[in-house]
């Protein structure tokens, strides 16, 4: 696969990942579980480091490596400290399978580059599972997120098969990462929009409920 096509695609996925992180943070800020701004900072570091490593590969310097490794760690810390993500058997299995995929490191690029790729994969898995365990997604969207999270795990193994002339196989492998990230971001957008729709009318109703009937009548006459 020509590096240019692959690099542009993966860089775009990095931007989508940052959008998903920001949306996830905004969603949980509307609940009683409050992840810190470290989630957004970790997202910026992850996206910036991921894009840099994708574009520069072997020429990537130590700063980009630190960013792409520290960013996911901050994401994980923010989710855990804010009691946002719940550790489940599925999550532990997915994390273990993703880490085991590093046994093939060096077959796709350099060992170092293949290893740092695992950071964003783990961050995305944690963020997807945070929405699954939040109870905000609903049954259908939760099932979509579960399927999407397993696609990320599958990509962590199949990414080593990319290379050579672009074709259906290479496109299908890259789709295993782009599609689940797009699903996650799309679901995050729908959850956030639905939370806005239900939160603000609820707040208005609470305001009216706290006012006395006389005050409400005066307000109507003033209108």
């Amino acid at each position: 696969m020509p590096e240019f096509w692959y690099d542009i695609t993966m860089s775009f996925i990095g931007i989508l990942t940052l959008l998903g992180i920001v949306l996830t943070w905004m969603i949980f800020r509307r609940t009683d579980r409050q992840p810190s701004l470290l989630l957004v900072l970790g997202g910026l570091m992850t996206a910036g480091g991921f894009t840099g490593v994708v574009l520069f590969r072997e020429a990537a310097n130590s700063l980009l490596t630190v960013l792409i490794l520290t960013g996911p760690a901050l994401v994980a810390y923010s989710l855990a400290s804010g009691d946002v993500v719940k550790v489940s058997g599925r999550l532990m299995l997915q994390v273990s399978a993703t880490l085991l995929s590093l046994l093939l490191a060096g077959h796709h690029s350099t060992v170092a580059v293949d290893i740092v790729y695992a950071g964003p994969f783990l961050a995305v898995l944690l963020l997807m599972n945070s929405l699954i365990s939040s109870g905000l997604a609903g049954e259908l969207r939760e099932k979509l997120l579960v399927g999407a999270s397993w696609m990320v795990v599958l990509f962590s193994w199949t990414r080593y098969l990319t290379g050579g002339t672009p074709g259906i196989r290479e496109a299908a492998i890259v789709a295993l990462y782009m599609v689940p990230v797009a699903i996650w971001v799309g679901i995050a957008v729908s959850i956030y929009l639905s939370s806005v729709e239900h939160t603000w009318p609820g707040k208005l109703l609470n305001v009216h409920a706290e006012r006395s009937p006389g005050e409400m009548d005066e307000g109507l006459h003033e209108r």
Side-chain angles (χ1 to χ4, degrees), residues 1 19 47 79 112 128 133 144 153 161 178 194 197 208 219-220:
M1 179 185 297
L19 176 60
L79 292 175
M128 286 181 174
S133 62
L144 287 173
V153 176
L161 300 176
M178 175 175 283
S194 63
E197 179 182 349
H208 286 305
L220 292 174

Side-chain angles (χ1 to χ4, degrees), residues 18-130:
L18 176 59
L19 176 60
I21 291 172
V22 173
L23 282 168
T24 302
W25 177 77
M26 293 172 66
I27 288 169
F28 282 108
R29 294 296 291 180
R30 292 181 171 273
T31 69
D32 57 349
R33 286 167 286 183
Q34 303 281 315
S36 68
L37 274 171
L38 289 177
L39 180 60
V40 178
L41 177 60
L44 287 169
M45 295 172 66
T46 301
F50 182 75
T51 302
V53 170
V54 165
L55 293 178
F56 300 109
R57 292 179 179 269
E58 287 78 5
N61 58 35
S62 57
L63 175 60
L64 293 176
T65 303
V66 170
L67 287 177
I68 203 172
L69 292 177
T70 307
L74 288 179
V75 170
Y77 173 79
S78 178
L79 292 175
S81 62
D83 194 27
V84 173
V85 64
K86 295 180 180 178
V87 178
S88 63
R90 179 188 61 251
L91 178 58
M92 293 299 295
L93 185 59
Q94 290 176 338
V95 169
S96 299
T98 301
L99 292 176
L100 284 173
S101 72
L102 295 179
L103 294 174
L104 301 177
H107 292 273
H108 173 69
S109 185
T110 65
V111 173
V113 170
D114 283 341
I115 288 176
V116 296
Y117 271 180
F121 299 159
L122 295 174
V124 169
L125 286 175
L126 288 172
L127 289 157
M128 286 181 174
N129 278 275
S130 71

Side-chain angles (χ1 to χ4, degrees), residues 151-165:
M151 289 176 70
V152 173
V153 176
L154 183 59
F155 176 74
S156 71
W157 284 86
T158 58
R159 63 191 172 106
Y160 301 108
L161 300 176
T162 57
T165 304

Side-chain angles (χ1 to χ4, degrees), residues 16 73 99 115 146 169 172 178 181:
L16 275 181
L99 292 176
I115 288 176
V146 169
R169 186 189 71 174
M178 175 175 283
V181 171

